[in-house]
């Protein structure tokens, strides 16, 4: 009975969405009417729920935090209220758009997740297979929420500004998909960097092996989708050869990554892609400047990734039965002085955030560089310096939120029990955490002289407890 309640509510609200009257054609008065307060509240509310609350709730669900259910329940209530407000506004009218279509599609994961959550909270069918499947589906749907929210917010901005119609659709797809891809790549890089090393070690594959496969697949798609017949333009040739660069370089990266080896090929490909993007000819000087900065940011991201692999990041050797005093991951005194190794460890921890942050910044710059967006900026007499710095400001905020979510995973719910801080000798510059009954990024291993050695230790079988603790 309880499961039917959200389903009925969802059907009722969906009927309201489908019945909402969008205009096939708009007069100038309708298109340029002021945005009323109700629509502003709708935008702020939905951005808060889908952009902040649901991602935090997803992380709390992964750690089995007691705050997961209250936060997600509040989010569902607010999102239903936001949907109602979005269809009750006056003032500016909008043409039928992908934002409205996708809003209707979102009812499927919304109602499904709500129904599964209620079912699991009732603790029925505890010993039946159906409950295990419900847990899996609940987790899978929940992990798609950040992607769904990001997509719908992009659609909302596009609809609000009236972008991506007619001949502009292709450029919008290229910029928004690739820009979002850079941000997604940065997020995965940050997750592996901060909480995923033990998973990488158990997988037996280096991060560059996964990178190279994605680059290869994307390159093959790009090679055959950039030219649509007729004569070849300069941009057609540039974009197609970028696809060729990706799959040829990706094949080399896959080969070099055999036997769990690190390699610099993905970083080199990112660098070359950035150089190519910085040389694209543009109609406006503003556009040339923005694309140039995007390309240079991407080049710097690739260069710092190469430096990270060569100088800072340890190899992800498979777990063995060897004494970890001899591990490549040891970050303390062995035959080398404590001060030099601890200094390198501190430098590595500081430097490791640079590649993913630059990828986030490059992604936002590329998403902000469509002809329609830059034409609007140009008409409002904003120079490229202001526009680029605004974009970097958003990049700082977005990367902060990404790192916050990763740290939240490491310090809440069942991972919180593992957070026991060890006193570190002054001047050691090593971030030391002692395991509290679970796996850690660093482990204490006794030396023969009675001091302690800090290593990137072995993990237990529970993959959800592999997070570093601070």
């Amino acid at each position: 009975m309880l499961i039917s309640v959200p389903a009925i509510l969802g059907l009722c609200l969906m009927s309201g969405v489908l019945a909402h009257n969008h205009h096939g054609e708009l007069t100038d008065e309708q298109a340029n009417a002021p945005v009323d307060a109700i629509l502003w509240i709708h935008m702020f509310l939905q951005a808060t729920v889908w952009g902040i609350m649901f991602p935090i709730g997803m992380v709390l669900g992964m750690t089995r935090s007691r705050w997961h259910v209250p936060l997600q329940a509040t989010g569902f209530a607010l999102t239903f209220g936001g949907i109602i407000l979005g269809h009750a506004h006056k003032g500016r009218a909008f043409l039928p758009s992908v934002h409205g279509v996708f809003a209707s599609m979102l009812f499927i994961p919304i109602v499904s997740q709500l129904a599964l959550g209620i079912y699991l909270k009732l603790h029925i069918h505890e010993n039946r297979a159906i409950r295990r499947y419900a847990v899996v589906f609940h987790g899978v749907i929940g992990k798609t929420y950040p992607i769904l929210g990001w997509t719908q917010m992009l659609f909302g901005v596009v609809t609000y500004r009236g972008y991506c119609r007619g001949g502009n659709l292709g450029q919008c797809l290229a910029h928004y998909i690739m820009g979002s891809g850079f941000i997604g790549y940065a997020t995965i890089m940050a997750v592996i960097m901060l909480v995923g090393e033990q998973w990488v070690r158990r997988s037996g594959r280096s991060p560059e092996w996964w990178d190279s496969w994605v680059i290869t697949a994307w390159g093959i798609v790009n090679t055959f989708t950039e030219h649509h017949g007729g004569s070849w333009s300069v941009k057609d040739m540039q974009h197609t050869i970028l696809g060729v660069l990706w799959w040829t370089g990706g094949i080399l990266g896959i080969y070099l990554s055999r036997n769990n080896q690190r390699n610099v090929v993905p970083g080199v490909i990112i660098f070359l892609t950035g150089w190519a993007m910085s040389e694209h000819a543009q109609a406006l000087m503003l556009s040339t400047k923005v694309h140039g900065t995007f390309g240079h940011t991407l080049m710097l991201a690739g260069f710092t990734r190469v430096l990270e692999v060569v100088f800072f990041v340890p190899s992800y050797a498979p777990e063995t039965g060897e004494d970890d005093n001899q591990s490549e991951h040891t970050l303390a005194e062995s035959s080398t002085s404590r001060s030099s190794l601890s200094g390198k460890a501190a430098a590595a921890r500081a430097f490791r955030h640079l590649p993913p942050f630059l990828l986030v910044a490059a992604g936002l710059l590329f998403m902000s560089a469509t002809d329609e967006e830059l034409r609007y900026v140009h008409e409002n007499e904003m120079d490229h310096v202001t526009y680029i710095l605004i974009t970097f400001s958003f990049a700082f905020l977005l990367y902060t939120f990404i790192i916050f979510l990763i740290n939240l995973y490491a310090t809440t719910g069942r991972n919180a029990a593992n957070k026991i801080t060890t006193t570190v000798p002054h001047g050691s510059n090593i971030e030391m955490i002692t395991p509290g009954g679970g796996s850690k990024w660093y482990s204490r291993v006794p030396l023969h002289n009675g001091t302690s050695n800090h290593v990137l230790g072995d993990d237990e079988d529970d993959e959800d407890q592999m997070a570093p603790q601070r």
Side-chain angles (χ1 to χ4, degrees):
M1 181 64 180
L2 286 173
I3 297 178
S4 65
V5 173
I8 295 172
L9 178 60
L11 291 174
C12 293
L13 288 174
M14 184 180 293
S15 65
V17 171
L18 297 177
H20 182 64
N21 184 27
H22 289 279
H23 303 271
E25 295 183 1
L26 297 178
T27 64
D28 290 339
E29 182 180 359
Q30 290 174 321
N32 298 315
V35 175
D36 67 351
I38 293 178
L39 187 56
W40 281 117
I41 295 173
H42 160 79
M43 291 188 284
F44 174 79
L45 190 61
Q46 297 295 64
T48 301
V49 172
W50 287 89
I52 299 177
M53 293 181 64
F54 279 155
I56 292 176
M58 176 199 71
V59 172
L60 295 179
M62 294 170 65
T63 64
R64 303 294 191 269
S65 170
R66 67 178 182 272
W67 296 105
H68 166 69
V69 173
L71 184 62
Q72 295 299 76
T74 303
F76 281 122
L78 291 177
T79 200
F80 284 130
I83 292 171
I84 295 172
L85 291 175
H87 295 85
H89 72 89
K90 306 297 181 182
R92 184 176 300 181
F94 300 92
L95 293 170
S97 66
V98 67
H99 182 67
V101 174
F102 197 67
S104 299
M105 295 171 61
L106 282 177
F107 274 97
I108 297 174
I110 288 174
V111 174
S112 300
Q113 189 72 341
L114 187 57
L116 287 169
I118 294 174
Y119 168 77
L120 294 174
K121 196 62 179 175
L122 292 176
H123 295 286
I124 58 178
H125 303 150
E126 291 284 358
N127 298 318
R128 296 187 184 180
I130 186 174
R131 183 175 179 83
R132 293 196 296 271
Y133 287 116
V135 171
V136 172
F137 287 130
H138 186 68
V140 170
I141 296 173
K143 290 178 179 66
T144 65
Y145 268 45
I147 299 174
L148 296 175
W150 176 265
T151 304
Q152 181 66 337
M153 285 188 288
L154 283 180
F155 289 159
V157 173
V158 167
T159 300
Y160 174 73
R161 293 296 310 156
Y163 292 155
C164 306
R165 295 185 178 273
N168 297 308
L169 178 59
Q171 187 189 59
C172 282
L173 290 174
H175 279 249
Y176 293 154
I177 292 174
M178 183 169 287
S180 299
F182 286 136
I183 296 171
Y185 182 23
T187 302
I188 294 172
M189 186 184 297
V191 169
I192 291 176
M193 170 183 71
L194 294 176
V195 298
E197 181 181 352
Q198 298 300 335
W199 176 84
V200 173
R201 292 178 66 188
R202 283 195 296 271
S203 74
R205 303 289 187 182
S206 68
E208 287 74 36
W209 188 85
W210 303 100
D211 292 355
S212 298
W213 271 109
V214 173
I215 290 171
T216 300
W218 187 260
I220 292 172
V221 172
N222 203 75
T223 299
F224 298 102
T225 57
E226 288 296 331
H227 180 64
H228 305 287
S231 60
W232 284 76
S233 66
V234 173
K235 287 189 175 182
D236 285 347
M237 290 186 283
Q238 288 178 339
H239 293 166
T240 301
I241 198 59
L242 276 176
V244 175
L245 172 76
W246 294 340
W247 65 259
T248 53
I251 290 174
L252 174 61
I254 294 169
Y255 183 75
L256 293 179
S257 298
R258 70 192 190 283
N259 300 324
N260 196 28
Q261 297 298 309
R262 306 298 306 271
N263 71 85
V264 300
V265 172
V268 172
I269 293 175
I270 294 172
F271 182 91
L272 291 174
T273 302
W275 170 78
M277 293 294 184
S278 69
E279 296 295 319
H280 272 194
Q282 305 295 328
L284 295 173
M285 179 58 67
L286 173 66
S287 182
T288 301
K289 294 289 187 180
V290 173
H291 277 82
T293 303
F294 158 67
H296 296 150
T297 304
L298 201 57
M299 291 171 67
L300 189 57
F303 180 65
T304 54
R305 180 67 190 276
V306 170
L307 293 181
E308 182 189 25
V309 171
V310 173
F311 295 108
F312 293 110
V313 179
S315 62
Y316 290 94
E319 296 176 308
T320 65
E322 297 178 358
D323 185 351
D324 219 4
N325 282 325
Q326 308 300 322
S327 169
E328 293 180 344
H329 303 278
T330 300
L331 295 179
E333 183 179 7
S334 56
S335 59
T336 310
S337 68
R338 173 178 293 275
S339 60
S340 63
L341 281 174
S342 61
K344 183 177 180 180
R349 286 198 309 275
F351 188 87
R352 63 186 179 177
H353 289 287
L354 197 51
F357 167 72
L358 290 170
L359 283 172
V360 169
L364 289 178
L365 280 168
F366 197 53
M367 295 173 70
S368 304
T370 65
D371 289 344
E372 291 176 297
E373 290 169 327
L374 295 177
R375 194 179 304 117
Y376 174 78
V377 173
H378 178 71
E379 290 171 354
N380 284 273
E381 300 182 352
M382 181 185 294
D383 69 325
H384 68 280
V385 175
T386 304
Y387 189 62
I388 290 170
L389 292 180
I390 290 173
T391 306
F392 267 92
S393 299
F394 279 112
F396 281 120
L397 290 175
L398 181 56
Y399 189 67
T400 300
F401 187 60
I402 292 170
I403 299 303
F404 165 76
L405 291 178
I406 296 173
N407 183 69
L408 191 69
Y409 171 83
T411 57
T412 59
R414 57 186 176 183
N415 292 333
N418 298 324
K419 193 181 182 214
I420 302 178
T421 305
T422 299
T423 302
V424 182
H426 179 69
S428 67
N429 293 326
I430 301 182
E431 186 178 32
M432 291 290 104
I433 301 296
T434 299
S439 59
K440 297 298 172 191
W441 188 274
Y442 298 103
S443 299
R444 297 185 58 131
V445 179
L447 294 176
H448 297 296
N449 59 8
T451 60
S452 61
N453 192 15
H454 301 276
V455 300
L456 295 169
D458 293 336
D459 197 4
E460 296 179 357
D461 292 334
D462 189 354
E463 190 169 320
D464 282 333
Q465 296 190 18
M466 65 187 175
Q469 306 301 318
R470 296 186 181 278

